[in-house]
Coordinates of all heavy atoms in Angstrom, one line a residue:
M251 N 0.9 -1.2 0.0 CA 0.0 0.0 0.0 C 0.9 1.2 0.0 O 1.9 1.3 0.8 CB -0.9 0.0 1.2 CG -1.8 1.2 1.3 SD -3.0 1.2 2.7 CE -3.9 -0.3 2.3
L252 N 0.6 2.2 -0.8 CA 1.3 3.4 -0.9 C 0.9 4.3 0.2 O -0.2 4.5 0.6 CB 0.9 4.1 -2.3 CG 1.6 5.4 -2.6 CD1 3.1 5.2 -2.8 CD2 1.1 6.0 -3.8
I253 N 1.9 5.0 0.8 CA 1.7 5.9 1.9 C 2.1 7.3 1.5 O 3.2 7.5 0.9 CB 2.6 5.5 3.2 CG1 2.2 4.1 3.6 CG2 2.4 6.6 4.3 CD1 3.1 3.6 4.7
I254 N 1.2 8.2 1.6 CA 1.4 9.6 1.3 C 1.2 10.5 2.5 O 0.2 10.4 3.2 CB 0.4 10.1 0.1 CG1 0.7 9.3 -1.1 CG2 0.6 11.6 -0.1 CD1 -0.3 9.6 -2.2
H255 N 2.1 11.4 2.8 CA 2.0 12.3 3.9 C 1.5 13.6 3.3 O 2.0 14.1 2.3 CB 3.4 12.5 4.5 CG 3.9 11.3 5.3 ND1 3.5 11.0 6.5 CD2 4.7 10.3 4.8 CE1 4.1 9.9 6.9 NE2 4.8 9.5 5.9
A256 N 0.5 14.2 3.9 CA -0.1 15.4 3.5 C -0.3 16.4 4.7 O -0.3 15.9 5.8 CB -1.4 15.2 2.8
T257 N -0.5 17.6 4.4 CA -0.9 18.6 5.4 C -2.2 19.3 5.1 O -2.5 19.4 3.9 CB 0.2 19.6 5.6 OG1 0.5 20.3 4.4 CG2 1.5 19.0 6.1
Q258 N -2.9 19.7 6.1 CA -4.2 20.3 5.8 C -4.0 21.8 5.4 O -3.0 22.4 5.9 CB -5.0 20.3 7.1 CG -6.5 20.5 6.8 CD -7.3 19.8 7.9 OE1 -6.9 19.3 8.9 NE2 -8.6 19.9 7.7
R259 N -4.8 22.2 4.5 CA -4.7 23.6 4.0 C -5.6 24.5 4.8 O -6.7 24.2 5.1 CB -5.2 23.7 2.5 CG -4.3 23.0 1.5 CD -4.7 23.4 0.1 NE -5.9 22.6 -0.2 CZ -6.7 23.0 -1.2 NH1 -6.5 24.2 -1.8 NH2 -7.8 22.3 -1.5
D260 N -5.1 25.7 5.1 CA -5.9 26.7 5.7 C -6.7 27.5 4.7 O -7.9 27.9 4.9 CB -5.0 27.6 6.6 CG -4.4 26.9 7.7 OD1 -4.9 25.9 8.2 OD2 -3.2 27.3 8.1
K261 N -6.1 27.9 3.6 CA -6.7 28.7 2.6 C -7.1 27.9 1.4 O -6.3 27.0 1.0 CB -5.7 29.8 2.2 CG -5.3 30.8 3.3 CD -4.4 31.8 2.8 CE -4.0 32.7 3.9 NZ -3.0 33.7 3.5
I262 N -8.3 28.1 0.9 CA -8.7 27.4 -0.3 C -9.1 28.4 -1.3 O -9.3 29.6 -1.0 CB -9.9 26.4 0.0 CG1 -11.1 27.2 0.6 CG2 -9.5 25.3 0.9 CD1 -12.3 26.4 0.8
G263 N -9.2 28.0 -2.6 CA -9.5 28.9 -3.6 C -8.4 28.9 -4.7 O -7.4 28.3 -4.6
K264 N -8.7 29.6 -5.8 CA -7.8 29.7 -6.9 C -6.5 30.3 -6.6 O -5.4 29.7 -7.0 CB -8.5 30.5 -8.1 CG -7.7 30.4 -9.4 CD -8.4 31.2 -10.5 CE -9.7 30.6 -10.9 NZ -10.2 31.3 -12.1
S265 N -6.5 31.4 -5.9 CA -5.2 32.1 -5.7 C -4.3 31.3 -4.7 O -3.1 31.2 -4.9 CB -5.4 33.5 -5.1 OG -6.1 33.5 -3.9
A266 N -5.0 30.6 -3.7 CA -4.2 29.8 -2.7 C -3.6 28.6 -3.5 O -2.5 28.2 -3.2 CB -5.1 29.4 -1.6
S267 N -4.4 28.0 -4.4 CA -3.9 26.8 -5.1 C -2.8 27.2 -6.1 O -1.8 26.4 -6.2 CB -5.1 26.3 -6.0 OG -6.1 25.8 -5.1
R268 N -2.8 28.4 -6.7 CA -1.7 28.8 -7.5 C -0.5 29.0 -6.7 O 0.6 28.7 -7.2 CB -2.1 30.1 -8.3 CG -3.1 29.8 -9.4 CD -3.4 31.1 -10.1 NE -4.4 30.8 -11.2 CZ -5.0 31.7 -11.9 NH1 -4.8 33.0 -11.6 NH2 -5.8 31.4 -12.8
L269 N -0.6 29.6 -5.5 CA 0.5 29.8 -4.7 C 1.2 28.5 -4.3 O 2.4 28.4 -4.2 CB 0.1 30.6 -3.4 CG 1.2 31.0 -2.5 CD1 2.2 31.9 -3.2 CD2 0.6 31.7 -1.3
L270 N 0.4 27.5 -4.0 CA 0.9 26.2 -3.6 C 1.7 25.6 -4.8 O 2.8 25.0 -4.6 CB -0.3 25.2 -3.4 CG -0.9 25.1 -2.0 CD1 -2.0 24.1 -2.0 CD2 0.2 24.7 -1.0
R271 N 1.2 25.7 -6.0 CA 1.9 25.2 -7.2 C 3.3 25.8 -7.4 O 4.2 25.2 -7.9 CB 1.0 25.3 -8.4 CG -0.2 24.3 -8.3 CD -1.0 24.3 -9.6 NE -2.3 23.7 -9.3 CZ -3.4 24.4 -9.2 NH1 -3.5 25.7 -9.4 NH2 -4.5 23.8 -8.9
T272 N 3.4 27.1 -7.0 CA 4.7 27.8 -7.1 C 5.7 27.2 -6.1 O 6.9 27.3 -6.3 CB 4.6 29.3 -7.0 OG1 4.1 29.6 -5.6 CG2 3.7 29.9 -8.0
K273 N 5.2 26.6 -5.0 CA 6.0 26.0 -4.0 C 6.2 24.5 -4.2 O 6.6 23.8 -3.3 CB 5.4 26.2 -2.6 CG 5.3 27.7 -2.2 CD 4.6 27.9 -0.9 CE 4.5 29.3 -0.5 NZ 3.8 29.5 0.7
N274 N 6.0 24.0 -5.4 CA 6.2 22.6 -5.8 C 5.3 21.7 -5.0 O 5.6 20.6 -4.7 CB 7.6 22.2 -5.7 CG 7.9 21.1 -6.7 OD1 7.2 20.9 -7.7 ND2 9.0 20.4 -6.4
K275 N 4.0 22.1 -4.8 CA 3.0 21.3 -4.1 C 1.7 21.5 -4.9 O 1.7 22.3 -5.8 CB 2.8 21.8 -2.7 CG 4.0 21.7 -1.8 CD 3.7 22.1 -0.4 CE 5.0 21.9 0.4 NZ 4.8 21.7 1.8
F276 N 0.8 20.6 -4.6 CA -0.5 20.8 -5.3 C -1.7 20.5 -4.3 O -1.5 19.8 -3.3 CB -0.6 19.8 -6.5 CG -0.5 18.4 -6.2 CD1 -1.6 17.6 -5.9 CD2 0.7 17.8 -6.3 CE1 -1.5 16.3 -5.6 CE2 0.8 16.4 -6.0 CZ -0.3 15.7 -5.7
P277 N -2.8 21.1 -4.6 CA -4.0 20.9 -3.7 C -4.7 19.6 -4.0 O -4.6 19.1 -5.1 CB -4.9 22.1 -4.0 CG -4.5 22.4 -5.4 CD -3.1 22.1 -5.6
A278 N -5.3 19.1 -3.0 CA -6.1 17.9 -3.1 C -7.3 18.0 -2.1 O -7.3 18.8 -1.2 CB -5.3 16.7 -2.8
I279 N -8.3 17.1 -2.3 CA -9.4 17.1 -1.5 C -9.8 15.7 -1.2 O -9.6 14.8 -2.0 CB -10.6 17.9 -2.1 CG1 -11.7 18.1 -1.2 CG2 -11.1 17.2 -3.4 CD1 -12.8 19.1 -1.7
V280 N -10.3 15.4 0.1 CA -10.7 14.1 0.5 C -12.1 14.2 0.9 O -12.5 15.1 1.8 CB -9.8 13.6 1.7 CG1 -10.2 12.1 2.0 CG2 -8.4 13.6 1.4
Y281 N -13.0 13.4 0.4 CA -14.4 13.5 0.7 C -15.1 12.1 0.6 O -14.5 11.2 0.1 CB -15.1 14.5 -0.2 CG -15.1 14.2 -1.6 CD1 -16.0 13.4 -2.3 CD2 -14.0 14.7 -2.4 CE1 -15.9 13.1 -3.6 CE2 -13.9 14.5 -3.8 CZ -14.9 13.7 -4.4 OH -14.8 13.4 -5.7
G282 N -16.4 12.1 1.1 CA -17.2 10.9 1.0 C -17.5 10.3 2.3 O -17.1 10.7 3.4
K283 N -18.4 9.2 2.3 CA -18.8 8.5 3.5 C -19.4 9.3 4.6 O -19.2 9.0 5.8 CB -17.7 7.6 4.0 CG -17.5 6.4 3.2 CD -16.7 5.4 4.0 CE -16.8 4.0 3.2 NZ -16.3 3.0 4.0
K284 N -20.0 10.4 4.3 CA -20.6 11.3 5.3 C -19.6 11.7 6.4 O -19.9 11.9 7.6 CB -21.8 10.6 6.0 CG -22.9 10.3 5.1 CD -24.1 9.7 5.7 CE -25.2 9.4 4.7 NZ -26.3 8.7 5.3
K285 N -18.4 11.9 5.9 CA -17.3 12.4 6.8 C -17.0 13.9 6.3 O -17.3 14.2 5.2 CB -16.1 11.6 6.7 CG -16.3 10.2 7.2 CD -15.0 9.4 7.1 CE -15.2 8.0 7.6 NZ -14.0 7.2 7.6
P286 N -16.3 14.6 7.2 CA -16.0 16.0 6.8 C -15.0 16.0 5.6 O -14.1 15.2 5.5 CB -15.4 16.6 8.1 CG -15.0 15.5 8.9 CD -15.9 14.3 8.6
T287 N -15.2 17.0 4.8 CA -14.3 17.2 3.6 C -13.0 17.8 4.1 O -13.0 18.7 4.9 CB -15.0 18.1 2.6 OG1 -16.2 17.5 2.2 CG2 -14.1 18.3 1.4
L288 N -11.9 17.2 3.7 CA -10.6 17.7 4.0 C -9.9 18.3 2.8 O -9.8 17.7 1.8 CB -9.7 16.6 4.6 CG -10.2 15.9 5.8 CD1 -9.3 14.7 6.1 CD2 -10.2 16.8 7.0
H289 N -9.4 19.6 3.0 CA -8.6 20.2 1.9 C -7.2 20.1 2.3 O -6.8 20.5 3.4 CB -9.0 21.7 1.9 CG -10.4 21.9 1.5 ND1 -10.9 21.9 0.2 CD2 -11.6 22.1 2.2 CE1 -12.2 22.1 0.1 NE2 -12.6 22.2 1.4
I290 N -6.4 19.4 1.5 CA -5.0 19.1 1.9 C -4.1 19.6 0.8 O -4.5 20.0 -0.3 CB -4.8 17.6 2.1 CG1 -5.2 16.8 0.8 CG2 -5.6 17.1 3.3 CD1 -4.9 15.3 0.9
Q291 N -2.8 19.5 1.1 CA -1.7 19.8 0.1 C -0.7 18.7 0.2 O -0.4 18.1 1.2 CB -1.1 21.2 0.4 CG -0.4 21.3 1.7 CD 0.1 22.7 2.0 OE1 -0.3 23.6 1.4 NE2 1.0 22.8 3.0
I292 N -0.2 18.4 -1.0 CA 0.7 17.2 -1.2 C 1.9 17.7 -1.9 O 1.8 18.5 -2.9 CB 0.0 16.1 -1.9 CG1 -1.2 15.6 -1.1 CG2 1.0 14.9 -2.1 CD1 -2.0 14.6 -1.9
D293 N 3.1 17.2 -1.6 CA 4.3 17.5 -2.3 C 4.3 16.9 -3.6 O 3.9 15.8 -3.9 CB 5.5 17.0 -1.5 CG 6.8 17.6 -1.9 OD1 6.8 18.5 -2.8 OD2 7.9 17.1 -1.4
N294 N 4.8 17.7 -4.6 CA 4.7 17.3 -6.0 C 5.7 16.2 -6.4 O 5.8 15.7 -7.5 CB 5.0 18.5 -6.9 CG 4.2 18.4 -8.2 OD1 3.4 17.5 -8.4 ND2 4.4 19.4 -9.0
K295 N 6.5 15.7 -5.4 CA 7.6 14.7 -5.7 C 7.1 13.3 -5.6 O 7.9 12.4 -5.7 CB 8.7 14.9 -4.7 CG 9.4 16.2 -4.9 CD 10.5 16.4 -3.9 CE 11.1 17.8 -4.0 NZ 12.1 18.1 -2.9
I296 N 5.8 13.1 -5.3 CA 5.3 11.7 -5.2 C 5.4 11.0 -6.6 O 5.2 11.7 -7.6 CB 3.9 11.6 -4.6 CG1 2.9 12.3 -5.5 CG2 3.8 12.2 -3.2 CD1 1.4 12.1 -5.2
I297 N 5.7 9.8 -6.6 CA 5.8 9.0 -7.8 C 4.5 8.5 -8.3 O 3.8 7.9 -7.5 CB 6.8 7.8 -7.6 CG1 8.1 8.2 -6.9 CG2 6.9 7.0 -8.9 CD1 9.1 8.7 -7.9
I298 N 4.2 8.9 -9.5 CA 2.9 8.5 -10.1 C 3.2 7.4 -11.2 O 4.0 7.7 -12.1 CB 2.1 9.6 -10.7 CG1 1.9 10.8 -9.7 CG2 0.8 9.2 -11.3 CD1 1.0 10.5 -8.7
N299 N 2.6 6.2 -11.0 CA 2.8 5.2 -12.1 C 1.4 4.6 -12.3 O 0.4 4.9 -11.6 CB 3.9 4.2 -11.8 CG 3.7 3.6 -10.4 OD1 2.6 3.4 -10.0 ND2 4.8 3.2 -9.8
S300 N 1.4 3.6 -13.1 CA 0.1 3.0 -13.5 C -0.6 2.2 -12.3 O -1.8 2.2 -12.2 CB 0.2 2.0 -14.7 OG 1.1 1.0 -14.3
T301 N 0.2 1.7 -11.4 CA -0.3 1.0 -10.2 C -0.9 2.0 -9.2 O -1.7 1.6 -8.3 CB 0.7 0.1 -9.5 OG1 1.8 0.9 -9.1 CG2 1.2 -1.0 -10.5
F302 N -0.5 3.2 -9.2 CA -0.9 4.3 -8.3 C -2.4 4.4 -8.3 O -3.1 4.6 -7.3 CB -0.3 5.6 -8.7 CG -0.6 6.8 -7.8 CD1 0.0 6.9 -6.6 CD2 -1.5 7.7 -8.2 CE1 -0.3 8.0 -5.8 CE2 -1.8 8.8 -7.4 CZ -1.2 8.9 -6.2
F303 N -3.1 4.2 -9.5 CA -4.5 4.4 -9.6 C -5.3 3.3 -9.1 O -6.5 3.4 -8.8 CB -4.8 4.7 -11.1 CG -4.1 5.8 -11.7 CD1 -3.0 5.7 -12.5 CD2 -4.4 7.1 -11.4 CE1 -2.3 6.7 -13.1 CE2 -3.8 8.2 -11.9 CZ -2.7 8.0 -12.7
K304 N -4.7 2.1 -9.1 CA -5.5 0.9 -8.8 C -5.4 0.5 -7.3 O -6.2 -0.2 -6.8 CB -4.9 -0.3 -9.6 CG -5.1 -0.1 -11.1 CD -4.4 -1.1 -11.9 CE -4.5 -0.8 -13.4 NZ -3.7 -1.7 -14.2
K305 N -4.4 1.0 -6.6 CA -4.2 0.7 -5.2 C -5.0 1.6 -4.3 O -5.2 2.8 -4.6 CB -2.7 0.8 -4.8 CG -1.9 -0.3 -5.5 CD -0.5 -0.1 -4.9 CE 0.4 -1.2 -5.5 NZ 1.8 -1.0 -5.0
N306 N -5.3 1.1 -3.1 CA -5.7 1.9 -2.0 C -4.5 2.6 -1.5 O -3.4 2.1 -1.5 CB -6.4 1.1 -0.9 CG -7.7 0.6 -1.4 OD1 -8.3 1.0 -2.4 ND2 -8.2 -0.5 -0.7
I307 N -4.7 3.8 -1.0 CA -3.6 4.7 -0.5 C -3.8 5.0 1.0 O -4.9 5.3 1.4 CB -3.5 6.0 -1.3 CG1 -3.3 5.6 -2.8 CG2 -2.5 6.9 -0.8 CD1 -3.6 6.8 -3.7
R308 N -2.7 4.9 1.7 CA -2.8 5.3 3.1 C -2.4 6.8 3.2 O -1.2 7.1 2.9 CB -1.9 4.5 4.0 CG -1.9 4.9 5.5 CD -1.2 4.0 6.4 NE -2.0 2.8 6.5 CZ -1.5 1.6 6.9 NH1 -0.2 1.5 7.2 NH2 -2.3 0.6 7.0
L309 N -3.3 7.6 3.5 CA -3.0 9.1 3.6 C -2.9 9.5 5.0 O -3.8 9.2 5.8 CB -4.2 9.8 2.9 CG -4.1 11.2 2.5 CD1 -3.0 11.4 1.5 CD2 -5.4 11.7 1.9
I310 N -1.8 10.1 5.3 CA -1.5 10.5 6.7 C -1.6 12.0 6.7 O -0.8 12.7 6.1 CB -0.1 10.0 7.2 CG1 -0.1 8.5 7.2 CG2 0.1 10.6 8.6 CD1 1.3 7.9 7.5
I311 N -2.6 12.5 7.5 CA -2.8 14.0 7.6 C -2.8 14.4 9.1 O -3.7 13.9 9.8 CB -4.2 14.4 6.9 CG1 -4.3 13.9 5.5 CG2 -4.4 15.9 7.0 CD1 -5.7 13.9 5.0
C312 N -1.9 15.2 9.5 CA -1.8 15.6 10.9 C -1.9 14.5 11.9 O -2.7 14.5 12.8 CB -2.9 16.7 11.2 SG -2.8 18.1 10.1
N313 N -1.1 13.4 11.6 CA -1.0 12.2 12.5 C -2.3 11.4 12.5 O -2.5 10.5 13.4 CB -0.6 12.6 13.9 CG 0.8 13.1 14.0 OD1 1.6 12.7 13.2 ND2 1.0 14.1 14.9
E314 N -3.3 11.7 11.6 CA -4.4 10.8 11.5 C -4.3 10.0 10.2 O -3.8 10.6 9.2 CB -5.7 11.7 11.4 CG -6.0 12.3 12.7 CD -7.3 13.1 12.7 OE1 -8.2 12.7 12.0 OE2 -7.4 14.1 13.4
K315 N -4.6 8.8 10.2 CA -4.5 7.9 9.0 C -5.8 7.6 8.4 O -6.8 7.2 9.1 CB -3.7 6.6 9.4 CG -2.4 6.9 10.0 CD -1.7 5.6 10.5 CE -0.4 6.0 11.2 NZ 0.2 4.8 11.8
Y316 N -5.9 7.7 7.1 CA -7.1 7.4 6.3 C -6.7 6.4 5.2 O -5.6 6.5 4.6 CB -7.7 8.6 5.7 CG -8.0 9.7 6.8 CD1 -7.1 10.7 7.1 CD2 -9.2 9.6 7.4 CE1 -7.5 11.7 8.0 CE2 -9.6 10.6 8.4 CZ -8.7 11.6 8.7 OH -9.0 12.6 9.6
I317 N -7.6 5.5 4.8 CA -7.5 4.7 3.6 C -8.4 5.4 2.6 O -9.6 5.5 2.8 CB -7.9 3.3 3.9 CG1 -7.1 2.6 5.0 CG2 -7.7 2.4 2.6 CD1 -5.6 2.5 4.8
V318 N -7.8 5.7 1.5 CA -8.5 6.4 0.4 C -8.1 5.8 -0.9 O -7.2 5.0 -1.1 CB -8.1 7.9 0.4 CG1 -8.5 8.6 1.7 CG2 -6.7 8.1 0.1
S319 N -8.9 6.1 -1.9 CA -8.6 5.8 -3.3 C -8.8 7.1 -4.2 O -9.4 8.0 -3.7 CB -9.5 4.7 -3.8 OG -10.8 5.1 -4.0
I320 N -8.2 7.0 -5.3 CA -8.3 8.2 -6.2 C -9.6 8.2 -7.0 O -9.9 7.2 -7.6 CB -7.1 8.2 -7.1 CG1 -5.8 8.4 -6.3 CG2 -7.2 9.3 -8.2 CD1 -4.5 8.3 -7.2
K321 N -10.2 9.3 -6.9 CA -11.5 9.5 -7.7 C -11.1 10.2 -9.0 O -11.6 9.7 -10.1 CB -12.4 10.4 -6.9 CG -13.6 10.8 -7.6 CD -14.8 9.9 -7.3 CE -16.0 10.5 -7.9 NZ -17.0 9.5 -8.1
E322 N -10.3 11.2 -9.0 CA -9.9 11.9 -10.2 C -8.6 12.7 -10.0 O -8.3 13.1 -9.0 CB -11.1 12.9 -10.5 CG -11.0 13.6 -11.9 CD -12.2 14.4 -12.2 OE1 -13.1 14.5 -11.4 OE2 -12.2 14.9 -13.3
I323 N -7.9 12.7 -11.1 CA -6.6 13.5 -11.2 C -6.7 14.5 -12.3 O -7.1 14.2 -13.4 CB -5.4 12.6 -11.4 CG1 -5.2 11.6 -10.2 CG2 -4.1 13.4 -11.5 CD1 -4.0 10.7 -10.3
H324 N -6.3 15.7 -12.0 CA -6.3 16.8 -13.0 C -4.8 17.1 -13.3 O -4.0 17.3 -12.4 CB -7.0 18.1 -12.5 CG -8.4 17.9 -12.2 ND1 -9.4 18.1 -13.1 CD2 -9.0 17.5 -11.0 CE1 -10.5 17.9 -12.5 NE2 -10.3 17.5 -11.2
Y325 N -4.5 17.0 -14.6 CA -3.1 17.2 -15.1 C -3.0 18.6 -15.8 O -4.0 19.1 -16.3 CB -2.6 16.2 -16.0 CG -2.5 14.8 -15.4 CD1 -3.4 13.8 -15.5 CD2 -1.3 14.5 -14.7 CE1 -3.3 12.6 -14.9 CE2 -1.1 13.3 -14.1 CZ -2.1 12.3 -14.2 OH -1.9 11.1 -13.7
H326 N -1.8 19.1 -15.8 CA -1.5 20.3 -16.6 C -1.7 20.0 -18.0 O -1.4 18.9 -18.5 CB -0.1 20.8 -16.3 CG 0.1 22.2 -16.8 ND1 0.5 22.4 -18.1 CD2 0.1 23.4 -16.2 CE1 0.6 23.7 -18.3 NE2 0.4 24.4 -17.1
A327 N -2.1 21.0 -18.8 CA -2.4 20.7 -20.2 C -1.2 20.2 -21.0 O -1.3 19.4 -21.9 CB -3.0 22.0 -20.9
F328 N 0.0 20.8 -20.8 CA 1.1 20.4 -21.6 C 2.4 20.2 -20.8 O 3.4 19.8 -21.3 CB 1.4 21.4 -22.7 CG 1.6 22.8 -22.2 CD1 2.8 23.3 -21.8 CD2 0.5 23.7 -22.2 CE1 2.9 24.6 -21.4 CE2 0.6 25.0 -21.8 CZ 1.8 25.5 -21.4
K329 N 2.3 20.3 -19.5 CA 3.5 20.0 -18.6 C 3.2 18.7 -17.9 O 2.0 18.4 -17.6 CB 3.7 21.1 -17.6 CG 4.2 22.4 -18.2 CD 4.4 23.4 -17.1 CE 4.7 24.8 -17.7 NZ 4.8 25.8 -16.6
P330 N 4.2 17.9 -17.6 CA 3.9 16.7 -16.8 C 3.8 17.0 -15.3 O 4.5 16.5 -14.5 CB 5.2 15.9 -17.1 CG 6.3 16.9 -17.3 CD 5.6 18.1 -18.0
K331 N 2.7 17.7 -15.0 CA 2.5 18.1 -13.6 C 1.1 17.8 -13.2 O 0.2 17.9 -14.0 CB 2.8 19.6 -13.3 CG 4.2 20.0 -13.4 CD 4.4 21.4 -13.1 CE 5.0 21.6 -11.7 NZ 5.2 23.0 -11.3
I332 N 0.9 17.5 -11.9 CA -0.5 17.3 -11.4 C -1.0 18.6 -10.9 O -0.3 19.4 -10.3 CB -0.5 16.3 -10.2 CG1 0.0 14.9 -10.7 CG2 -1.8 16.2 -9.5 CD1 0.1 13.9 -9.6
I333 N -2.2 18.9 -11.3 CA -2.9 20.2 -10.9 C -3.7 20.0 -9.6 O -3.7 20.8 -8.7 CB -3.8 20.7 -12.0 CG1 -3.0 21.0 -13.2 CG2 -4.5 22.0 -11.5 CD1 -2.0 22.1 -13.1
H334 N -4.4 18.8 -9.5 CA -5.3 18.6 -8.4 C -5.7 17.1 -8.3 O -5.8 16.5 -9.4 CB -6.6 19.4 -8.6 CG -7.6 19.3 -7.5 ND1 -7.5 20.0 -6.3 CD2 -8.7 18.5 -7.4 CE1 -8.6 19.7 -5.6 NE2 -9.2 18.8 -6.2
I335 N -5.9 16.6 -7.1 CA -6.3 15.2 -7.0 C -7.6 15.2 -6.1 O -7.6 15.9 -5.1 CB -5.3 14.3 -6.4 CG1 -4.1 14.1 -7.3 CG2 -5.8 12.9 -6.1 CD1 -3.0 13.2 -6.8
D336 N -8.6 14.4 -6.5 CA -9.7 14.1 -5.6 C -9.6 12.7 -5.1 O -9.4 11.8 -5.8 CB -11.0 14.2 -6.4 CG -11.4 15.6 -6.9 OD1 -10.7 16.5 -6.4 OD2 -12.3 15.7 -7.7
F337 N -9.6 12.6 -3.7 CA -9.5 11.3 -3.1 C -10.9 11.0 -2.5 O -11.6 12.0 -2.1 CB -8.5 11.3 -1.9 CG -7.1 11.4 -2.3 CD1 -6.4 12.6 -2.2 CD2 -6.4 10.3 -2.8 CE1 -5.1 12.7 -2.5 CE2 -5.1 10.4 -3.2 CZ -4.4 11.6 -3.0
I338 N -11.3 9.8 -2.3 CA -12.5 9.4 -1.7 C -12.2 8.5 -0.5 O -11.3 7.6 -0.7 CB -13.5 8.8 -2.7 CG1 -14.9 8.7 -2.1 CG2 -13.0 7.5 -3.3 CD1 -16.0 8.5 -3.2
Y339 N -12.9 8.7 0.6 CA -12.6 7.8 1.8 C -13.0 6.4 1.5 O -14.0 6.1 0.9 CB -13.5 8.3 2.9 CG -13.1 9.6 3.6 CD1 -13.9 10.7 3.5 CD2 -12.0 9.7 4.4 CE1 -13.6 11.9 4.1 CE2 -11.7 10.8 5.1 CZ -12.5 11.9 4.9 OH -12.2 13.1 5.5
I340 N -12.2 5.5 2.0 CA -12.6 4.1 2.0 C -12.8 3.6 3.5 O -13.8 3.0 3.8 CB -11.6 3.2 1.3 CG1 -11.6 3.5 -0.2 CG2 -11.8 1.7 1.5 CD1 -10.6 2.7 -1.0
D341 N -11.8 3.9 4.3 CA -11.8 3.6 5.7 C -10.9 4.5 6.5 O -10.1 5.1 6.0 CB -11.4 2.1 5.9 CG -11.9 1.5 7.1 OD1 -12.6 2.1 7.9 OD2 -11.6 0.3 7.4
E342 N -11.0 4.4 7.8 CA -10.2 5.2 8.7 C -9.5 4.3 9.7 O -10.1 3.3 10.2 CB -11.0 6.2 9.5 CG -10.2 7.1 10.3 CD -11.0 8.2 11.0 OE1 -12.1 8.4 10.6 OE2 -10.5 8.8 12.0
I343 N -8.2 4.5 9.9 CA -7.4 3.7 10.8 C -7.2 4.4 12.1 O -6.8 5.6 12.1 CB -6.1 3.3 10.2 CG1 -6.2 2.6 8.9 CG2 -5.2 2.5 11.2 CD1 -5.0 2.3 8.1
K344 N -7.5 3.8 13.2 CA -7.3 4.4 14.5 C -5.9 4.3 15.0 O -5.3 3.3 14.8 CB -8.3 3.8 15.5 CG -9.7 4.0 15.2 CD -10.2 5.4 15.3 CE -11.7 5.4 15.0 NZ -12.2 6.6 14.7

């Protein structure tokens, strides 16, 4: 299982997301299962390959662990960069 460390975002919106991308990070969101929506930021250095989409991912946010899967990934139009990822809850680990 892939483990990704993320931090929660305080500011959301277009200008905050653009600022994140200049710092070599990208915004993401975690939602579903009648749980609160989490706005997070992830370092752009994570390795993306074909198995990344098929596996469940352990997402660690502020010392809380969640099992998520990828709902959607938005890529830059002509650069090999991720713009945004939508994760969906599968389970929570205590």
Side-chain angles (χ1 to χ4, degrees):
M251 182 178 295
L252 181 66
I253 298 173
I254 297 176
H255 294 273
T257 56
Q258 201 155 3
R259 291 189 287 154
D260 296 328
K261 298 179 181 177
I262 57 174
K264 189 184 288 189
S265 62
S267 296
R268 287 181 179 170
L269 184 63
L270 273 179
R271 291 185 195 106
T272 63
K273 296 178 181 177
N274 207 19
K275 298 182 180 208
F276 61 87
I279 190 167
V280 184
Y281 58 88
K283 283 202 167 188
K284 297 182 182 178
K285 294 182 181 179
T287 301
L288 297 175
H289 298 276
I290 59 173
Q291 61 187 17
I292 301 173
D293 194 5
N294 215 3
K295 295 177 186 173
I296 63 170
I297 307 278
I298 305 290
N299 56 28
S300 60
T301 60
F302 181 78
F303 303 105
K304 298 173 186 170
K305 290 184 178 180
N306 292 340
I307 299 165
R308 178 173 288 160
L309 194 59
I310 301 174
I311 307 165
C312 300
N313 295 326
E314 294 184 31
K315 298 175 185 173
Y316 303 94
I317 303 296
V318 298
S319 67
I320 294 176
K321 174 93 172 165
E322 189 172 4
I323 297 181
H324 301 268
Y325 292 99
H326 192 277
F328 53 89
K329 294 180 184 176
K331 288 183 109 179
I332 296 173
I333 300 294
H334 180 86
I335 295 183
D336 291 347
F337 293 104
I338 192 161
Y339 288 111
I340 293 179
D341 201 2
E342 184 176 343
I343 301 173
K344 302 286 183 198

